[in-house]
Amino acid sequence: MIGNWSVARFRARFARAASRSAPRSSAPVTHGLIALCCLLFLLGPAAGLNPAYGSGEGLIAAQRAYFHRWGVVPAELFEGAPRAALTPATALFVHGSWVHLLGNMLFLYVFGTMTEERMGRVQFTLFYIGCGYLALLGYAAANDDSTRSLVGASGAISAVLGAFLFLFPAARVTSLLPFLLFLPLRFPAWVVLPFWVALQWVAAERAGQGPGVAYLAHVVGFGLGFGFAWARFGRPTRVKPAPAPAPEGENQP
């Protein structure tokens, strides 16, 4: 009895200690967004795993119809249809390929966790959807005669990168640079992220008409994210100074 009780007590103490030491998710919104995007991708036609969408030409047709329904079609967005007005939000959760999905989710995981911790869950959720919506809206306005569908969370994730740059400029970011043989190197965010957005700007200037890669949405999203972080967290907090203690003898009645 004594031995069994001792073992049980040890196990209970060990379980309590493990539960206290186990890392808890401090960014549930970021992790939830990643899970939702992955789930919708697996269920949709782009993954090619759902037999309900068929195969071959039928699958390609289903993918086009799916992207047209849930993605942003700039030429239709400004016609005033209520359904089209929602597409800059629904497009944030739709991805066109495995590479598209995994690339976006990697960026969201790396930069979203700390940004969410700083902003808080509710504010981060509104920030993510709002900036993502406006980024796709800005791209659609610049390509208002395009009939190709635009999908992906890159506008919202670019906003997360912009906010991250303002909130954590000295944070180290691992980067793979092609001209350095893709060696993983760590640089401060204030070096990596401005260089990244500059590349997006150059690519947006050279991009042809119509949505291929929405570089302009990246630039708009990055600017929105940085501007929001500056407006929300950049102003110094004013602390009312406490009155200096009275010299001894002056506080006597």
Side-chain angles (χ1 to χ4, degrees):
M1 290 293 294
I2 296 177
N4 292 338
W5 180 81
S6 300
V7 172
R9 183 175 63 175
F10 171 78
R11 288 178 177 175
R13 289 182 176 178
F14 179 80
R16 288 196 297 269
S19 64
R20 288 193 298 266
S21 61
R24 297 182 179 180
S25 173
S26 55
V29 175
T30 298
H31 299 156
L33 289 170
I34 294 173
L36 179 60
C37 288
C38 291
L39 177 62
L40 293 177
F41 179 80
L42 293 175
L43 295 177
L49 301 177
N50 192 339
Y53 293 102
S55 60
E57 294 296 328
L59 177 60
I60 295 176
Q63 292 173 350
R64 291 175 179 171
Y66 186 83
F67 297 150
H68 186 272
R69 179 177 182 181
W70 301 111
V72 178
V73 181
E76 299 178 0
L77 182 60
F78 301 104
E79 293 180 353
R83 186 197 65 81
L86 294 176
T87 55
T90 59
L92 298 176
F93 303 94
V94 179
H95 291 83
S97 67
W98 285 96
V99 174
H100 189 202
L101 172 74
L102 296 177
N104 276 350
M105 295 305 100
L106 176 62
F107 270 77
L108 179 57
Y109 177 78
V110 171
F111 296 98
T113 302
M114 291 176 61
T115 306
E116 180 185 345
E117 290 177 354
R118 182 67 177 86
M119 290 186 178
R121 300 175 185 179
V122 175
Q123 187 171 211
F124 180 79
T125 303
L126 298 176
F127 160 80
Y128 182 89
I129 296 176
C131 289
Y133 186 102
L134 293 175
L136 296 183
L137 186 65
Y139 179 87
N143 299 273
D144 58 351
D145 60 344
S146 173
T147 57
R148 297 182 61 185
S149 303
L150 174 64
V151 298
S154 55
I157 296 172
S158 298
V160 173
L161 267 62
F164 186 94
L165 174 61
F166 182 84
L167 297 173
F168 311 103
R172 292 278 174 172
V173 178
T174 300
S175 306
L176 299 176
L177 301 180
F179 52 84
L180 292 178
L181 303 178
F182 293 97
L183 295 176
L185 302 174
R186 292 178 64 81
F187 298 100
W190 64 267
V191 173
V192 175
L193 295 181
F195 178 73
W196 176 85
V197 76
L199 292 179
Q200 305 305 302
W201 176 260
V202 172
E205 290 292 320
R206 296 180 178 179
Q209 179 69 17
V213 177
Y215 295 110
L216 181 59
H218 300 174
V219 176
V220 174
F222 190 91
L224 289 171
F226 188 90
F228 176 86
W230 175 81
R232 178 64 180 84
F233 301 99
R235 300 175 182 177
T237 302
R238 294 183 178 181
V239 180
K240 185 178 181 180
E248 185 178 355
E250 292 187 6
N251 57 353
Q252 299 296 326

